[in-house]
Amino acid sequence: YYITNNLSKMGDRPFIVGFSFGILPVILAYFKGWLWFPAELTWENQGFLILCAIITFSNYLNEYLQWYPLQYSKFAPEGGCPARVGWFIMYSTPAVAYFIVWNYLGAPSSSYDLLMLGLYCTHFTKRCLEVLFVHKYSKDCLFLTVIEIASFYSLGAVATAYCLHRLSGPDRNSFLDDELRVKVGLCIWVTGQLINLVHHYILSTLRSPGSYKYIVPTGGLFGLIVCPQYCGELTSWLGFGLIGYSFGAFVNYVPMVAYLCARAHHTYRWYGTKFDDYPGKGTMKLWPWVY
């Protein structure tokens, strides 16, 4: 990318800074005793951890280094699938996949199982409602992108559901005994969902009816970071992980940190090529004052 001179060097920090800051809460949670690993890692546990590592690294290669980036939004040509239909499919598929796995595992109905099922499905139900009533689209989706993203999210849904409702063991309902961790996790989850929703709404109000011109986003956290909606998404997945306690609850979070750090990086640079005064000095990509 050619980057204009107005792009803040402080804001254009390397990927490792954003990714390291993103996984720092996971490390802190582990040392505080808010992240559970089984005493013995079975081949299933090891397999999911390896899968998580592979997806995380592939997100770095494909999205940050641009080996095979997902083509959507400002980084994609005009497609042939109506945008609302495509995005509804992308966001509804993982919720369905999670429910199917939960049901396949015997539809466990402990408080823990129902809470994690509810949180996961609520996240994607919210995204589907945003597709229908909040977002404004300037172009249709590529059919291949719909398949790729629906598959990517659904793989995460299957892995998360299997880890939480099977590999977390028969005593997983006791994971809710730590009321402080659960309350902190719920507060973080709700905060992340609200940050995500508010900034999606702000983005939807930037253009006048019938206009497809990109406009510098203002309001909310846009003065601090170019992708506050991504920050909100990661915040909510972090809260989900803390509530879930099991390592499986972070199966979504860690790969998403790599994915959204990379998308935020290229969004930041894209804005720098289109506008003279945005991102401004000190405006970061994803994490306020950090990255």
Side-chain angles (χ1 to χ4, degrees):
Y1 288 89
Y2 168 72
I3 306 183
T4 53
N5 292 331
N6 74 291
L7 211 54
S8 166
K9 291 183 179 180
M10 183 175 71
D12 195 20
R13 290 175 175 168
F15 173 88
I16 190 61
V17 173
F19 181 74
S20 298
F21 185 80
I23 64 172
L24 179 61
V26 181
I27 297 171
L28 295 177
Y30 175 77
F31 284 108
K32 183 169 177 56
W34 283 8
L35 172 57
W36 173 85
F37 277 93
E40 295 184 7
L41 289 177
T42 65
W43 66 268
E44 290 178 310
N45 293 325
Q46 295 177 41
F48 279 107
L49 289 173
I50 292 172
L51 176 63
C52 181
I54 291 173
I55 295 175
T56 300
F57 188 58
S58 68
N59 284 342
Y60 167 74
L61 295 177
N62 291 329
E63 295 297 336
Y64 189 76
L65 298 185
Q66 299 283 283
W67 283 20
Y68 187 76
L70 291 173
Q71 297 188 55
Y72 63 89
S73 185
K74 59 182 67 69
F75 302 110
E78 182 74 28
C81 177
R84 293 195 193 280
V85 174
W87 283 105
F88 190 88
I89 292 172
M90 288 184 253
Y91 289 138
S92 61
T93 304
V96 172
Y98 191 103
F99 183 84
I100 290 174
V101 174
W102 171 79
N103 190 67
Y104 172 78
L105 295 174
S109 57
S110 70
S111 298
Y112 176 84
D113 291 299
L114 294 179
L115 176 61
M116 301 315 292
L117 170 68
L119 290 173
Y120 197 93
C121 291
T122 297
H123 173 84
F124 283 103
T125 298
K126 165 188 164 292
R127 300 306 299 271
C128 287
L129 292 174
E130 288 176 342
V131 167
L132 296 177
F133 302 111
V134 176
H135 294 312
K136 294 180 180 178
Y137 300 99
S138 59
K139 64 184 70 171
D140 290 336
C141 301
L142 297 171
F143 283 105
L144 179 59
T145 298
V146 174
I147 296 172
E148 289 173 336
I149 294 180
S151 300
F152 173 69
Y153 280 147
S154 296
L155 177 61
V158 170
T160 302
Y162 192 83
C163 287
L164 291 181
H165 304 292
R166 171 68 181 272
L167 300 184
S168 296
D171 298 326
R172 57 186 175 273
N173 204 47
S174 65
F175 291 174
L176 300 181
D177 291 347
D178 188 340
E179 294 185 4
L180 176 61
R181 174 181 50 77
V182 174
K183 289 178 180 179
V184 169
L186 281 171
C187 287
I188 292 174
W189 185 83
V190 171
T191 299
Q193 296 291 348
L194 290 175
I195 291 173
N196 183 261
L197 173 62
V198 167
H199 290 90
H200 279 160
Y201 174 76
I202 290 175
L203 288 172
S204 74
T205 62
L206 294 178
R207 297 175 185 148
S208 57
S211 173
Y212 298 111
K213 180 181 179 181
Y214 278 100
I215 300 174
V216 174
T218 58
L221 297 176
F222 279 110
L224 293 175
I225 49 178
V226 298
C227 295
Q229 71 276 25
Y230 292 171
C231 180
E233 171 123 2
L234 289 177
T235 301
S236 67
W237 282 123
L238 175 62
F240 180 87
L242 292 175
I243 298 165
Y245 184 48
S246 166
F247 75 95
F250 289 95
V251 165
N252 260 318
Y253 178 72
V254 175
M256 286 298 289
V257 170
Y259 176 67
L260 293 181
C261 278
R263 297 293 299 195
H265 169 77
H266 289 289
T267 300
Y268 180 92
R269 294 195 163 196
W270 183 89
Y271 276 125
T273 66
K274 300 297 181 181
F275 303 104
D276 294 331
D277 55 354
Y278 190 79
K281 183 178 181 180
T283 303
M284 297 296 184
K285 303 171 186 176
L286 178 63
W287 307 116
W289 307 294
V290 177
Y291 172 79

